[in-house]
Amino acid sequence: MHVKGPRYSWNATVLTLFPDMFPGPLGQSLAGKALKTGIWSLKLLDIRAFAGDKHRSVDAPPFGGGAGMILRPDVMDAALASVDQLPGRRIYLSPRGKSFDQSVAESLVEDPGVVLICGRFEGLDQRLIDARNLEEISLGDYVLSGGEIAGLAVLDACVRLLPGVLGSEEGLKEESFTKGLLEYPLYTQPREWKGKTVPEVLLSGHHGDIKTWQREQAEMVTRDRRPDLWARYREKS
Ligand code: SAH
């Protein structure tokens, strides 16, 4: 009998000074299982392997002075050149980038893969960003010590969207951000806990009423917590 394999394998390539940080948490649970079964694959490039000199130096002090070190454009370019044949967007994880969100994750999994560049020290030389036309993506308005954790977060958000990774793809449609709303509150067993019961409608078995309640709750939570998302949602609907 023909065993149906995954529809395709999504390829993530990561340039990093710390390849041992990968797959890290993505080697566990659903993402880890999907990695083993080939729904996605992970190629790691150790930036240091592309250093030209015998000291294997990858960084140098900034021209114009200032604190810290900068990743050299020649070294980073050699690392990127080694994966020129791979398809997918070239993304530099950077606090100066466009904010990562669900729609970016959704767009990334439409490609056959992605190449992520993890910065360290003060970051990358601007000439490299320009020459390679790197897309900058930020995890949020705070400074991490390297792009690795940001890269792992981006990959996690992407991998769970690949067909076959989650037990139920239905779940994806209901999640926070998918409809531009935060998720409604969730309840499970026991029915009564510490004197608190579960909203009656959820026990009613009336599918339509439940959907309406969930929608109202999602709208309320979004309006209260995230006026920015709420405004966008109102514009669209
Ligand atoms: N000097 C930089 C910060 C460098 S932090 C600045 O002021 O903007 C070192 C590296 O960590 C960066 O090159 C980037 O790859 C990564 N990084 C830090 N914060 C990040 C964030 N919010 N999102 C994505 N990557 C981040």
Side-chain angles (χ1 to χ4, degrees):
M1 201 183 88
H2 178 70
V3 180
K4 226 173 140 201
R7 192 155 60 86
Y8 62 91
S9 184
W10 190 71
N11 179 249
T13 301
V14 180
L15 278 70
T16 171
L17 280 171
F18 299 97
D20 291 349
M21 291 188 182
F22 293 85
L26 301 182
Q28 311 268 323
S29 189
L30 295 173
K33 204 171 134 212
L35 188 56
K36 284 190 197 93
T37 58
I39 294 178
W40 69 295
S41 64
L42 180 61
K43 184 182 173 69
L44 294 165
L45 292 182
D46 183 350
I47 293 167
R48 205 166 290 280
F50 297 89
D53 63 351
K54 65 176 192 298
H55 303 291
R56 294 238 160 268
S57 53
V58 295
D59 57 326
F63 284 123
M69 302 291 270
I70 315 294
L71 282 161
R72 295 174 56 114
D74 49 351
V75 176
M76 296 304 294
D77 191 56
L80 280 166
S82 78
V83 289
D84 266 345
Q85 75 289 359
L86 291 181
R89 281 145 73 180
R90 269 54 181 161
I91 291 176
Y92 168 40
L93 283 325
S94 152
R96 294 173 58 201
K98 171 178 181 246
S99 283
F100 184 62
D101 64 15
Q102 194 64 21
S103 67
V104 176
E106 282 163 6
S107 71
L108 288 175
V109 294
E110 277 167 21
D111 294 335
V114 68
V115 177
L116 298 180
I117 299 134
C118 301
R120 277 275 155 179
F121 318 119
E122 296 307 317
L124 300 186
D125 185 303
Q126 186 62 41
R127 291 169 297 176
L128 186 273
I129 299 174
D130 297 340
R132 286 272 170 186
N133 202 11
L134 301 182
E135 191 180 335
E136 293 185 60
I137 288 187
S138 168
L139 203 62
D141 290 343
Y142 39 80
V143 181
L144 300 166
S145 35
E148 288 77 9
I149 289 176
L152 286 166
V154 167
L155 292 180
D156 187 12
C158 289
V159 165
R160 63 197 296 288
L161 295 176
L162 297 172
V165 175
L166 293 190
S168 145
E169 258 122 56
E170 274 303 294
L172 289 176
K173 297 193 198 115
E174 292 298 323
E175 272 179 339
S176 290
F177 308 116
T178 309
K179 291 178 185 149
L181 292 173
L182 300 177
E183 196 173 52
Y184 48 79
L186 305 170
Y187 299 89
T188 186
Q189 299 288 354
R191 273 179 184 231
E192 193 179 328
W193 178 71
K194 293 196 172 181
K196 292 178 201 290
T197 54
V198 169
E200 207 54 50
V201 59
L202 298 179
L203 309 172
S204 69
H206 289 126
H207 198 63
D209 291 356
I210 294 174
K211 286 272 160 245
T212 306
W213 179 87
Q214 288 174 335
R215 160 71 58 166
E216 283 167 4
Q217 291 287 318
E219 290 183 350
M220 232 155 65
V221 172
T222 309
R223 197 179 52 224
D224 289 353
R225 299 186 182 183
R226 293 290 301 274
D228 55 326
L229 289 181
W230 181 242
R232 236 186 296 161
Y233 173 78
R234 288 292 295 271
E235 264 168 43
K236 269 197 260 166
S237 53

